[in-house]
């Protein structure tokens, strides 16, 4: 059964070139999940794969803070950047959380209010 995981729009801290975005991840399912890794693979919103080893109990949430390479000029909108989370329950999953990102007045990444989440089971040969 596909897990029920919710991702809220990220918040941002830092200064130009040293941005950290924090995502709130909620386990809306009935079983615990274990986060394994996170990354932002988009060329304009990038974080290399970061290992995580954290359990989220059913009905609970956690935050994931990631440094992000983001150097856009104020007002520029980046289409289709996303967060990839790998996690495990009884199977291993890859979750994609897509969000629109706009550069704020100081060039900081600002998340749009809508986050589209899809999850796929990672099949092993």
């Amino acid at each position: 059964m596909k897990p029920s995981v919710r991702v809220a729009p990220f918040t941002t801290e830092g200064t130009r070139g040293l941005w950290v975005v924090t995502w709130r991840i909620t386990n809306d399912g009935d079983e615990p999940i274990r986060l394994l890794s996170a990354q932002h693979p988009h060329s304009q919103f990038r974080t290399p794969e970061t290992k995580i080893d954290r359990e989220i109990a059913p009905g609970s949430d956690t935050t994931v803070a990631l440094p992000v390479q983001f150097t856009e000029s104020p007002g520029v909108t980046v289409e289709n950047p996303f967060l990839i989370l790998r996690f495990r329950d009884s199977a291993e999953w890859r979750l994609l959380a897509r969000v629109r990102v706009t550069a704020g007045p100081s060039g900081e990444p600002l998340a749009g209010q809508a986050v589209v989440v899809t999850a796929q089971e990672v099949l092993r040969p």
Side-chain angles (χ1 to χ4, degrees), residues 26 61 106-107:
T26 303
D61 60 38
S106 299

Side-chain angles (χ1 to χ4, degrees), residues 40-110:
H40 301 115
H42 195 283
S43 63
Q44 294 170 275
F45 188 77
R46 187 163 196 76
T47 301
E49 185 174 16
T50 303
K51 301 293 182 196
I52 301 170
D53 184 14
R54 188 176 318 152
E55 185 172 288
I56 308 174
S60 297
D61 60 38
T62 191
T63 58
V64 174
L66 299 168
V68 65
Q69 294 176 3
F70 185 80
T71 57
E72 300 304 314
S73 300
V76 170
T77 298
V78 178
E79 297 290 336
N80 289 322
F82 50 92
L83 168 70
I84 297 177
L85 283 178
R86 282 187 34 242
F87 66 93
R88 182 180 312 128
D89 56 8
S90 59
E92 188 170 324
W93 297 88
R94 181 175 43 237
L95 177 143
L96 278 65
R98 296 187 195 295
V99 64
R100 175 180 285 190
V101 178
T102 303
S106 299
E108 72 276 19
L110 300 174

